[in-house]
Amino acid sequence: SKCPAALHGWDSGGGSMQQALLSSVLDSEESKNVAVVHKTNQGYSGKDLWRLKQENPELFGGAAGASSQQANAPGAAKPPPGYQAVAGSPEWLYNVDRNSYLNRESGQYFFRDTATNEFCPLRQGEDISSMLSVRGDAAASVGRNGMASKHVIINDLHRAAASMKLDLSHHDSPAAMFAVYDSHFGGSSVAEAAAKGLHGRLLPRLAAYRSSWEDDRLEAALAESIEVLAREVGTEQGVGVAVALLLGRRLTLAAASGSVCMLLDPESMGDRENDVVGNGPQPVTHCIDLAHHESHLGVLLTVQAVAKQLVPTRLDPLLRNHFAADRLKAACVAALGESRKSGAENALVAAALRLTWTQHDADAPASKRSRLDGSELSKVRCRHILLRHLGSQTVGERKQKPTRTQAEAEARMLEIFSEITRGAPAEFTAKCRTLSECDTALRGGDLAGDLGWLDRNPAKNKKVPASVVRAAFTLGAGQLSDIVSSERGIHLLLRVA
């Protein structure tokens, strides 16, 4: 088929719709944040659509490839919504909003790669959220010098991209990013700037190429984003960062300037071959296909001060039980606490994520599949222990104003958790009565710390923080929760019904 006149080259007179669209993209705030922008060749030396058909006839002569969206049946009289016929080439349709082209013969979609001016098949991402779940949490502790390291958790990159007017529909779901930033390199201001800026550099790169991504392309996009960020924040030492990027079955890790991405495998917790260690300012990257590594419980991201103090043989036993029980906040607090005991004085931070195959996946080994219970309770009943800290909101709790920091409250709650698990069932009641800083601790008998019946909808529990309600519905009857943070303080829950 003939190449549409509007696509054949860049029109030097009135300009083409592609030129106008490209200009609007390059002028956007998101693109201005990207240090390296691939300029379009004004003479247009890329592949025309007719050349694409000659070189890849399989894209046009029959069913569309598995990696592309399917359109209306060939010869359909009415174009799909948003698509209009291209003048002079009725077999081609164009969607201005999506910047995509549709070939009527094959029913396949294409986009123009602005880095190469080539037309590539447009991919539709696969959603495997029903099979693969991811959860993350983090903890931080201010250094003796007052500096603070940072952490960022973005649970839904598709939503984050949409807020920047970017489209990541060609990437798989779940899509999430977890990162820690070390204030040892450049101070607290650099760590904060990096925490606010990395996803702003990464997401436009992920959005730019809308076809299938190979592992090396993912690794390069993450490494380039970190390098650009380091130049922009103006630190010669680089940015101390550890990142985990999840896109469907693929987990891409990156670390720089002493930070570490530690893989936690229940079958070989002491095996550190797949860890990613940033030994210098240049990011070290590694992409993992989770379909071949389903035994991994998750990843611990941490910074140089923690990595130096804790050798893996000490860290693995410390974290194993917490990761297995999905207590990710407790795992982070435990890692930071051990680092302090070992003499760490700098700012500390750690983030933990756990990946779980939740139901049957035809591509996954049967011996390593896992399933969720699937029960949907509308109400549960919990008791809790509350420790307040300097940042807590006061809502009439008993006892004096707290003087401890959030990190100190979390560390103390981890100690309480350990004491309760070693003691008899009555130990929770005893600890609640003597230590909890909530008025519910004054209730009699086994009602000490009782929060009453909690509805699954957090909005219906006006006096209980939403994070506490969400945590309550992850528990089985008689189960202790992870350490839970809310605006009221630090909580430990026991589900009783």
Side-chain angles (χ1 to χ4, degrees):
S1 61
K2 183 175 65 173
C3 176
L7 310 182
H8 189 68
W10 299 116
D11 183 75
S12 59
S16 69
M17 53 187 172
Q18 286 77 23
Q19 182 68 65
L21 179 61
L22 180 62
S23 298
S24 68
V25 171
L26 294 181
D27 289 339
S28 68
E29 289 301 318
E30 292 78 23
S31 291
K32 289 178 182 177
N33 288 333
V34 181
V36 179
V37 177
H38 297 286
K39 297 288 186 180
T40 305
N41 185 340
Q42 294 300 314
Y44 181 47
S45 58
K47 292 181 181 178
D48 290 323
L49 291 176
W50 65 270
R51 288 186 57 195
L52 185 66
K53 182 174 181 179
Q54 285 183 328
E55 296 176 12
N56 300 93
E58 72 279 2
L59 297 179
F60 296 84
S67 64
S68 298
Q69 299 181 33
Q70 300 301 313
N72 288 9
K78 186 177 180 181
Y83 283 84
Q84 295 181 350
V86 177
S89 298
E91 69 273 31
W92 285 99
L93 303 174
Y94 178 66
N95 187 311
V96 175
D97 294 333
R98 297 199 63 201
N99 190 23
S100 64
Y101 307 92
L102 168 61
N103 181 265
R104 287 181 182 268
E105 295 181 19
S106 66
Q108 191 166 20
Y109 291 82
F110 297 85
F111 76 101
R112 187 196 293 276
D113 181 7
T114 58
T116 63
N117 276 343
E118 294 184 356
F119 286 89
C120 305
L122 180 63
R123 183 180 188 274
Q124 176 63 30
E126 180 185 6
D127 187 355
I128 61 168
S129 300
S130 62
M131 296 182 290
L132 178 66
S133 66
V134 57
R135 198 181 77 80
D137 215 325
S141 176
V142 176
R144 303 282 191 254
N145 55 7
M147 290 198 298
S149 294
K150 300 294 182 180
H151 57 80
V152 170
I153 296 176
I154 303 177
N155 290 311
D156 188 346
L157 285 178
H158 289 284
R159 180 177 296 180
S163 70
M164 297 171 62
K165 298 183 179 179
L166 298 171
D167 181 10
L168 295 186
S169 60
H170 49 286
H171 287 293
D172 295 340
S173 296
M177 189 188 88
F178 308 82
V180 296
Y181 304 88
D182 193 352
S183 63
H184 179 67
F185 297 90
S188 298
S189 60
V190 167
E192 184 172 1
K196 292 180 178 179
L198 180 58
H199 65 280
R201 280 57 177 179
L202 177 61
L203 292 182
R205 284 175 164 79
L206 294 178
Y209 186 70
R210 300 159 67 192
S211 196
S212 296
W213 281 60
E214 301 297 332
D215 292 354
D216 57 354
R217 185 184 286 269
L218 279 172
E219 292 179 14
L222 191 51
E224 289 171 4
S225 300
I226 294 172
E227 291 168 352
V228 167
L229 186 64
R231 292 196 296 269
E232 290 181 352
V233 298
T235 171
E236 296 180 357
Q237 297 173 301
V239 175
V241 60
V243 187
L245 171 66
L246 177 68
L247 295 171
R249 287 182 174 85
R250 284 188 294 181
L251 182 68
T252 307
L253 306 175
S257 301
S259 296
V260 178
C261 305
M262 181 182 295
L263 287 177
L264 300 170
D265 186 333
E267 297 181 358
S268 56
M269 289 287 279
D271 185 1
R272 305 266 60 93
E273 290 184 1
N274 290 323
D275 288 355
V276 177
V277 181
N279 293 317
Q282 296 300 316
V284 177
T285 60
H286 181 49
C287 191
I288 299 167
D289 185 350
L290 295 175
H292 303 304
H293 296 268
E294 292 177 48
S295 60
H296 286 161
L297 282 174
V299 181
L300 181 76
L301 310 174
T302 193
V303 294
Q304 187 179 60
V306 177
K308 286 175 61 176
Q309 297 294 335
L310 293 178
V311 295
T313 54
R314 291 179 59 194
L315 198 56
D316 284 344
L318 184 71
L319 303 180
R320 182 191 295 267
N321 291 335
H322 290 308
F323 266 84
D326 206 21
R327 295 190 296 266
L328 303 182
K329 171 78 83 171
C332 295
V333 174
L336 303 191
E338 284 297 306
S339 298
R340 287 283 184 234
K341 292 177 184 178
S342 300
E345 295 187 354
N346 289 340
L348 306 178
V349 64
L353 59 146
R354 187 171 188 260
L355 303 150
T356 307
W357 290 99
T358 57
Q359 68 179 38
H360 175 74
D361 181 358
D363 297 327
S367 61
K368 294 181 180 179
R369 293 175 190 149
S370 61
R371 296 178 181 272
L372 289 175
D373 182 10
S375 60
E376 289 291 333
L377 298 174
S378 60
K379 292 181 181 293
V380 297
R381 190 161 190 168
C382 286
R383 299 163 64 192
H384 82 143
I385 296 172
L386 172 68
L387 297 181
R388 295 187 293 149
H389 54 79
L390 289 170
S392 301
Q393 295 180 5
T394 302
V395 289
E397 291 90 349
R398 66 188 177 108
K399 300 187 178 181
Q400 60 186 5
K401 183 179 179 179
T403 58
R404 65 171 77 91
T405 64
Q406 179 174 339
E408 290 170 340
E410 291 171 345
R412 179 67 183 111
M413 190 64 85
L414 182 62
E415 294 175 355
I416 295 171
F417 173 87
S418 300
E419 293 165 2
I420 291 174
T421 55
R422 289 195 298 265
E427 190 68 20
F428 185 93
T429 299
K431 293 295 182 184
C432 183
R433 288 189 180 284
T434 58
L435 299 174
S436 181
E437 296 168 350
C438 177
D439 289 342
T440 58
L442 299 174
R443 294 175 180 172
D446 288 340
L447 291 178
D450 183 38
L451 293 172
W453 288 99
L454 303 177
D455 193 277
R456 180 175 289 275
N457 181 359
K460 294 183 179 181
N461 308 284
K462 296 182 180 180
K463 294 184 178 181
V464 181
S467 59
V468 172
V469 176
R470 288 193 294 268
F473 278 89
T474 67
L475 302 175
Q479 183 181 359
L480 282 172
S481 73
D482 191 6
I483 296 171
V484 180
S485 177
S486 82
E487 62 271 19
R488 292 186 60 194
I490 305 302
H491 309 254
L492 182 65
L493 308 180
L494 172 65
R495 183 183 156 194
V496 295

